[in-house]
Amino acid sequence: MAASQPHVAIACGGTGGHFFPGVAVARALQQQNVRVTLWVSNKAIDQKAVATVPDLAHVSTPAVALEWRRPWRFLFGLRTAMRQVRTAMADDRPEAVLAMGGFTSAAPVWVGRKLGAATFLHESNAVPGRANRLLSRWADEVLVGMAPAAERFGNSHVEVTGTPVRDDFRELDQRPSREALGLPRDQPMLLVIGGSQGARGVNRLVTAASTEWRGVSLLHVCGATDEAEVRAAYAGAANEVQVHAFLKDMPQALGAATLAVSRAGASSIAELAAARVPALFIPLPNSADDHQRANAAAVVAAGGGKVLEQHGTSSGELARVVEELLQDDPARAKMAEGMAALDRPESATQIADRILRRL
């Protein structure tokens, strides 16, 4: 390793929505001869995600979400994480720290800043999360995925960069993608995305609605917790169905999709936009600060998708809306154009450039 090679730490643990955008930035930095270390939590979802990029160095630390009713749990976890981060960074000091959101970012940002590293935050959602709102006062620059988020930060160095997405999600071909996944080539394919940790409300709505569809293949990413229940619900289904707790090759899945049903996490939206997949969003009802509803509203405004509320939507209504969209090629084509308008293919490079300017 060359002595002059700069080192950047990217704190991207907690969910796939933090992790995979962080990896996209890591790849952009590697192209500029920058050494990158990923900082993730010791949660199972992070360990599964980091296994998909074995060539990237990573460090695992404890992370506990901030709960106002149990602040001592957060403080205890933070103290342990700070101690571990100090030890690791003392041995291998980064010149910059990029935090992708979530409280896994707190210790790397605070310790990195104390060691003299430049500090950056990235916020994917239209409404910033609690961790980034707290950490923004210690950041040299704040980078946001959606313009509405910029108004929520007092930091004077705020730039709209979009949310980074791997290039693998772009310029996909439907037929080879379906062949690679073993799905029928001549049927519409519905992709169901609950997020990296699953979504019980979406899972149950879709499995109940699926009995109304004929000649439709489904690829359902349901999360580990609900996998057994989802598989049982599809037992004996007339349609071709694949169920995955976690899917490593999401680009192939989006490349194969005719339509997606998804939560409205910012990272999922960015991937759908990159792949030009029209989507029906069911926002998480209790997301922090209702950020998923705000994310979905931004997509609807661009014409890229439609929204159904989890509470008050019956399986019959979901079945009807999905079937109408699957049969309406012009409507889906227009939605795909709306998705394309949201795509920011330069996002990872733009973020990497901001970091490089301060190294």
Side-chain angles (χ1 to χ4, degrees):
M1 180 181 69
S4 60
Q5 189 179 32
H7 178 208
V8 174
I10 301 180
C12 55
T15 71
H18 297 148
F19 180 81
F20 292 108
V23 169
V25 178
R27 298 303 189 199
L29 286 167
Q30 285 181 315
Q31 292 176 7
Q32 299 297 322
N33 194 36
V34 175
R35 184 166 59 90
V36 179
T37 302
L38 304 180
W39 289 76
V40 299
S41 78
N42 49 19
K43 292 166 61 175
I45 187 63
D46 278 2
Q47 298 307 306
K48 191 175 291 187
V50 83
T52 66
V53 286
D55 62 306
L56 286 172
H58 75 277
V59 179
S60 299
T61 63
V64 180
L66 178 59
E67 299 178 50
W68 297 116
R69 291 176 297 178
R70 298 182 181 89
W72 59 89
R73 292 183 61 192
F74 170 69
L75 293 173
F76 178 78
L78 180 61
R79 184 178 66 177
T80 304
M82 292 280 284
R83 185 166 57 245
Q84 291 186 8
V85 172
R86 269 195 296 267
T87 299
M89 285 192 176
D91 293 335
D92 190 13
R93 188 179 71 84
E95 281 77 40
V97 177
L98 168 64
M100 299 303 297
F103 283 100
T104 303
S105 301
V109 166
W110 283 331
V111 173
R113 186 173 181 84
K114 191 170 182 179
L115 292 174
T119 51
F120 301 81
L121 299 184
H122 183 271
E123 175 58 62
S124 293
N125 294 299
V127 179
R130 289 177 294 178
N132 274 350
R133 293 200 303 268
L134 173 66
L135 293 172
S136 63
R137 69 192 68 180
W138 290 281
D140 293 308
E141 295 188 35
V142 176
L143 313 167
V144 299
M146 298 184 182
E151 303 167 5
R152 305 293 187 104
F153 288 107
N155 191 306
S156 58
H157 298 287
V158 181
E159 183 172 347
V160 181
T161 62
T163 292
V165 172
R166 291 172 286 163
D167 287 338
D168 296 349
F169 284 96
R170 297 186 176 89
E171 298 181 7
L172 296 162
D173 195 321
Q174 194 172 85
R175 183 170 288 244
S177 294
R178 290 182 180 178
E179 289 177 350
L181 291 166
L183 292 166
R185 294 181 300 175
D186 57 350
Q187 290 183 351
M189 193 277 265
L190 181 68
L191 173 64
V192 185
I193 311 169
S196 59
Q197 300 180 76
R200 180 159 295 170
V202 172
N203 292 339
R204 290 179 173 174
L205 268 174
V206 172
T207 53
S210 67
T211 60
E212 303 294 322
W213 301 320
R214 294 292 180 270
V216 177
S217 60
L218 289 92
L219 195 159
H220 192 143
V221 184
C222 64
T225 303
D226 289 350
E227 184 179 10
E229 178 183 324
V230 170
R231 288 188 182 278
Y234 284 126
N239 297 304
E240 175 80 19
V241 179
Q242 288 189 17
V243 176
H244 300 270
F246 175 87
L247 187 63
K248 178 180 178 181
D249 198 351
M250 282 302 293
Q252 287 278 38
L254 268 69
T258 308
L259 176 72
V261 174
S262 178
R263 284 296 194 209
S267 181
S268 293
I269 289 172
E271 291 172 355
L272 289 162
R276 282 36 173 179
V277 177
L280 179 61
F281 295 101
I282 304 176
L284 180 65
N286 59 345
S287 63
D289 299 311
D290 210 15
H291 70 267
Q292 287 209 2
R293 189 171 283 108
N295 292 347
V299 182
V300 171
K306 296 180 181 293
V307 178
L308 287 177
E309 296 294 339
Q310 180 174 312
H311 299 313
T313 297
S314 67
S315 60
E317 182 180 2
L318 175 63
R320 177 185 58 78
V321 174
V322 167
E323 186 146 7
E324 287 176 354
L325 286 171
L326 289 176
Q327 293 177 358
D328 192 340
D329 293 350
R332 290 198 322 278
K334 189 172 182 180
M335 291 167 71
E337 290 177 7
M339 279 296 190
L342 294 169
D343 186 27
R344 296 288 294 267
E346 76 289 351
S347 178
T349 301
Q350 187 177 352
I351 293 170
D353 287 346
R354 301 300 304 181
I355 293 170
L356 289 166
R357 290 177 194 178
R358 290 181 178 260
L359 294 183

